[in-house]
Amino acid sequence: MNFQRLPRLALHLPVLLRGLLLVVMAVAAPVAKADDADCAPLGHIGTYASDASNEMGGKPERHVFGEHDFLLSAPGTGAPTTVQGAWCSQTYDLKAGLNEPAPQVIADHYKQELNKLGASLLYGDACVTTARLVKDGGETWMHINCAQGFASSYTVWVVTKTALKLSLTEPATDDYRLLGHMPGYAVVKSEKADAGDLTFPISAGNFVTVQGKRLHLDYEPKPGTQPAADLEIVQNYLEAMKAKGGELIYQDKTDLVARMPDGDHLVWVHVVSLFGNVKLDVTDEKSYQPVATPPKSDALKAALDQNGHIALYVNFDFAKASLKPDAAPVIAQVVALLKAYPGYKLSIEGHTDSVGDDAANQKLSEARAAAVVDAVVKGGIEKSRLSSAGRGESSPIADNAKSEGRAKNRRVELVKQ
């Protein structure tokens, strides 16, 4: 059939039949070969054109590293699969003058193209098509979706699985001194304060206040630089902080909170990536000493005899169970107590603040209590007189929402047996 003659022929047909003919034309229209306006390896339907109104001037939005959720079953019946890697998205609009076809037209076109590519169809309905292509050692996931059930436009997402390539720069003059910035980005706003309070999310709906020296930085892409994806930004900052001994506190698609050591201080960092811009808040947490001086052995005995327990504050390396050198005088007083009173037996119990994963805090508290037991045994005390336990974050003695309270909760307790 000569499709070039169909529009002229359609003028002589009833209105209903003419509409049906245009739908047939849309179904029969070829899928255009993928070019730089498409997300390879997929092309687009010949009766559609790329959305020229987008921020990319009609070209696809591409990111070195991003993520997308792919449906594997009907919406609402199962969790989607999140795939991370090289990310591309493009929206196409039906060309002017054409009647809108049924959404199934789009699905049928792409099923044919996916079949030609050798991709495996993972899910398909009248509006959504999900497929995966495994080729030459690579894995590419594809998602085609009509616009809210209508075929006036549709969007394609393509993600090729890749690992994150770290790209954060070395710290520059305008940066926070321990962290650089995304390539092609520049500071557009900087605020400092020698002291103050700042609220940090530590889980969905839960926050803590951190007191200390503050720094706020806003970054934007320089002219001509394509904004990085939120995931790429957040993951780059996270890996940079992990490399400096930091630990993740909270993360979602656009938000990141982590703590890392800076000498004897804890530094809190909050990264927010939104529409390609970056907001960075840093607080150098003020150090709080729960007690002025460590208790002597006679004070330890008095407290144990009266209360049955006493809190000790010994310093560990950040997020570890290794004792710092300044813990030695405190351990020496415990050793002196046990040597002076051979009948004493003690349970040494570790406690943490409430920041971070519950299971991780429990494990850390157990390891720190065991480390204190080992140090006391090295001081000449029989291990049979000691036991250890971890209480995690279950028994706070102060408000975990504030820096001072968290410092008091990070303790080791001696419990008389």
Side-chain angles (χ1 to χ4, degrees):
M1 180 179 291
N2 186 346
F3 284 99
Q4 292 180 344
R5 297 179 56 192
L6 287 175
R8 187 179 303 171
L9 176 62
L11 296 175
H12 303 286
L13 297 174
V15 173
L16 178 59
L17 183 58
R18 187 162 67 244
L20 291 173
L21 184 58
L22 289 173
V23 171
V24 172
M25 290 169 57
V27 173
V31 175
K33 184 178 180 181
D35 57 27
D36 63 354
D38 299 311
C39 292
L42 296 179
H44 63 275
I45 301 174
T47 51
Y48 288 75
S50 58
D51 179 12
S53 66
N54 65 20
E55 296 180 357
M56 311 306 296
K59 292 187 176 182
E61 183 179 356
R62 304 180 192 273
H63 295 295
V64 174
F65 192 76
E67 68 179 9
H68 184 70
D69 293 335
F70 291 84
L71 283 177
L72 300 182
S73 59
T77 63
T81 294
T82 300
V83 180
Q84 298 180 344
W87 186 97
C88 179
S89 178
Q90 177 62 294
T91 297
Y92 302 94
D93 296 324
L94 187 66
K95 292 180 179 179
L98 293 178
N99 284 1
E100 180 182 323
Q104 189 65 48
V105 169
I106 299 172
D108 289 344
H109 269 294
Y110 277 96
K111 286 175 183 176
Q112 294 178 25
E113 183 174 7
L114 292 165
N115 184 57
K116 291 177 182 178
L117 290 171
S120 300
L121 183 66
L122 303 178
Y123 175 72
D125 59 23
C127 194
V128 178
T129 303
T130 301
R132 178 178 60 193
L133 175 63
V134 179
K135 185 177 180 180
D136 300 329
E139 185 177 342
T140 299
W141 288 63
M142 293 158 283
H143 173 198
I144 303 96
N145 203 118
C146 63
Q148 297 181 339
F150 297 95
S152 55
S153 67
Y154 70 91
T155 302
V156 169
W157 291 268
V158 175
V159 179
T160 299
K161 278 190 173 183
T162 56
L164 173 68
K165 294 182 179 179
L166 300 181
S167 58
L168 211 66
T169 69
E170 290 296 317
T173 303
D174 292 337
D175 295 322
Y176 171 55
R177 60 185 179 81
L178 296 180
L179 297 171
H181 58 270
M182 295 298 295
Y185 278 64
V187 174
V188 295
K189 181 181 178 181
S190 178
E191 296 178 342
K192 296 180 180 179
D194 289 335
D197 295 354
L198 192 63
T199 300
F200 288 80
I202 59 170
S203 61
N206 295 313
F207 302 85
V208 297
T209 301
V210 181
Q211 291 81 34
K213 187 183 294 185
R214 295 175 50 192
L215 172 65
H216 174 83
L217 297 172
D218 283 348
Y219 292 91
E220 291 182 1
K222 296 178 182 177
T225 297
Q226 180 178 333
D230 295 331
L231 179 66
E232 182 183 2
I233 292 169
V234 167
Q235 287 296 112
N236 263 282
Y237 276 97
L238 176 58
E239 293 303 322
M241 285 185 276
K242 283 184 177 179
K244 296 182 182 299
E247 66 170 352
L248 174 65
I249 301 300
Y250 172 69
Q251 182 180 3
D252 63 17
K253 291 182 181 295
T254 62
D255 245 340
L256 166 69
V257 175
R259 290 189 301 188
M260 61 182 178
D262 181 18
D264 293 332
H265 292 259
L266 279 183
V267 175
W268 288 68
V269 181
H270 186 191
V271 180
V272 178
S273 174
L274 197 59
F275 304 114
N277 297 328
V278 180
K279 294 183 180 295
L280 184 71
D281 279 296
V282 180
T283 299
D284 187 349
E285 188 170 28
K286 180 181 177 181
S287 293
Y288 287 93
Q289 297 298 327
V291 293
T293 58
K296 300 294 184 181
S297 60
D298 55 349
L300 293 177
K301 182 179 183 301
L304 288 168
D305 289 343
Q306 180 176 350
N307 303 317
H309 64 92
I310 184 173
L312 291 183
Y313 293 94
V314 290
N315 292 323
F316 296 86
D317 290 330
F318 176 66
K320 297 179 180 179
S322 48
L323 286 159
K324 288 189 173 183
D326 61 7
V330 183
I331 300 297
Q333 294 302 314
V334 178
V335 171
L337 166 69
L338 292 171
K339 285 183 176 180
Y341 299 93
Y344 257 59
K345 292 185 178 181
L346 297 176
S347 172
I348 297 179
E349 302 180 357
H351 298 262
T352 70
D353 60 31
S354 63
V355 176
D357 179 72
D358 293 359
N361 283 338
Q362 176 63 32
K363 186 177 180 180
L364 180 62
S365 69
E366 293 170 359
R368 286 182 168 178
V372 173
V373 168
D374 289 343
V376 173
V377 169
K378 287 180 180 178
I381 303 301
E382 292 181 7
K383 194 168 185 179
S384 61
R385 298 174 62 191
L386 301 166
S387 62
S388 68
R391 304 303 181 195
E393 59 190 68
S394 64
S395 302
I397 57 174
D399 186 359
N400 271 305
K402 298 180 179 180
S403 295
E404 185 175 7
R406 291 190 295 275
K408 289 181 178 179
N409 289 331
R410 296 190 294 267
R411 68 198 190 277
V412 171
E413 287 200 357
L414 305 182
V415 180
K416 187 177 179 181
Q417 299 296 292

